[in-house]
Amino acid sequence: NAGVTQTPKFQVLKTGQSMTLQCAQDMNHEYMSWYRQDPGMGLRLIHYSVGAGITDQGEVPNGYNVSRSTTEDFPLRLLSAAPSQTSVYFCASSYDPREGQETQYFGPGTRLLVL
Amino acid sequence: EDQVTQSPEALRLQEGESSSLNCSYTVSGLRGLFWYRQDPGKGPEFLFTLYSAGEEKEKERLKATLTKKESFLHITAPKPEDSATYLCAVQAGYGGSQGNLIFGKGTKLSVKP
């Protein structure tokens, strides 16, 4: 089991550029989520998905799009990057947390710098 | 509003000096409280889940406890390798945030030899 994997590890973008952060898990988890972590702010939920074809917004969704075409993959898209999106992004997965107290497992993170 | 507050923000200990980290919370029907450890440049690593008041869990030098309003992470005789940021998160049982995790800002622990 590779667990939760994320690519790339580090990325530099110019304002207005677009990119996709990749996340994959091999644990057959229904629930996947994206967080951003900023100094002094803690982890904040961007978007989440409870299964293929189902996505919903978290606390800070503006400027980000997601889709879930397979159980394994949950990419996060920045359509027009802004300096405020400079952050560390973490993907996490678990069994469906609406069913019980399911532990979320995190990937290693993607560090994004927007100039 | 669901929220999690961790204190202190930073804690410096000498090796062997025991202490506790605090996590206070307000949440719509607590389903679970989670403790994670995060090393610099890494993703959060799961430590414990607590489900109900009075519950305790232990792992090596760490012991987590839960009351109706807060959780404590007790560190007994810490070693330098325990240095990390410790994150607390709660999972709401109902409402708009049902199932999602709400994180505190973390406590950065430094243990000096």
Side-chain angles (χ1 to χ4, degrees):
Chain A
N1 267 355
V4 180
T5 58
Q6 293 183 238
T7 57
K9 290 184 179 180
F10 181 69
Q11 183 72 45
V12 180
L13 290 178
K14 294 182 179 179
T15 296
Q17 287 185 316
S18 63
M19 80 161 294
T20 299
L21 282 64
Q22 301 290 346
C23 174
Q25 53 90 12
D26 61 359
M27 297 174 282
N28 203 30
H29 285 162
E30 301 99 333
Y31 182 91
M32 296 185 73
S33 54
W34 277 101
Y35 295 85
R36 60 177 290 173
Q37 187 174 41
D38 302 292
M41 295 296 292
L43 283 156
R44 292 181 293 170
L45 183 65
I46 304 171
H47 284 287
Y48 64 98
S49 169
V50 296
I54 306 170
T55 64
D56 207 344
Q57 297 180 350
E59 179 186 357
V60 288
N62 292 340
Y64 308 95
N65 281 347
V66 292
S67 61
R68 184 97 178 268
S69 58
T70 67
T71 299
E72 295 79 18
D73 301 297
F74 190 43
L76 179 72
R77 298 183 185 86
L78 284 69
L79 298 179
S80 179
S84 61
Q85 294 178 304
T86 293
S87 188
V88 182
Y89 292 86
F90 290 101
C91 179
S93 75
S94 72
Y95 293 110
D96 193 339
R98 299 170 301 174
E99 302 297 324
Q101 304 93 339
E102 299 296 343
T103 298
Q104 288 192 35
Y105 296 94
F106 284 79
T110 293
R111 283 144 189 82
L112 177 65
L113 174 62
V114 182
L115 302 175
Chain B
E1 181 185 354
D2 300 333
Q3 65 179 24
V4 177
T5 303
Q6 291 188 247
S7 61
E9 291 184 10
L11 181 63
R12 293 185 177 186
L13 300 174
Q14 289 296 126
E15 185 172 3
E17 179 187 3
S18 301
S19 187
S20 296
L21 282 56
N22 177 262
C23 171
S24 62
Y25 63 88
T26 56
V27 66
S28 304
L30 179 70
R31 175 167 288 176
L33 185 140
F34 299 79
W35 282 99
Y36 287 85
R37 169 190 170 129
Q38 186 175 25
D39 293 301
K42 301 278 185 73
E45 176 188 350
F46 170 72
L47 292 174
F48 303 109
T49 307
L50 301 168
Y51 303 123
S52 58
E55 188 173 6
E56 300 181 351
K57 288 192 176 176
E58 291 188 64
K59 180 180 180 179
E60 296 181 354
R61 294 175 293 282
L62 300 177
K63 179 180 177 180
T65 62
L66 180 65
T67 72
K68 289 186 177 180
K69 293 185 176 181
E70 57 191 354
S71 176
F72 293 94
L73 185 64
H74 307 279
I75 303 175
T76 302
K79 298 181 178 182
E81 52 261 43
D82 294 321
S83 298
T85 296
Y86 290 85
L87 304 174
C88 173
V90 296
Q91 188 178 51
Y94 57 85
S97 299
Q98 181 188 9
N100 295 330
L101 290 181
I102 301 106
F103 279 87
K105 296 179 181 180
T107 293
K108 184 175 182 180
L109 174 66
S110 299
V111 182
K112 302 299 182 183

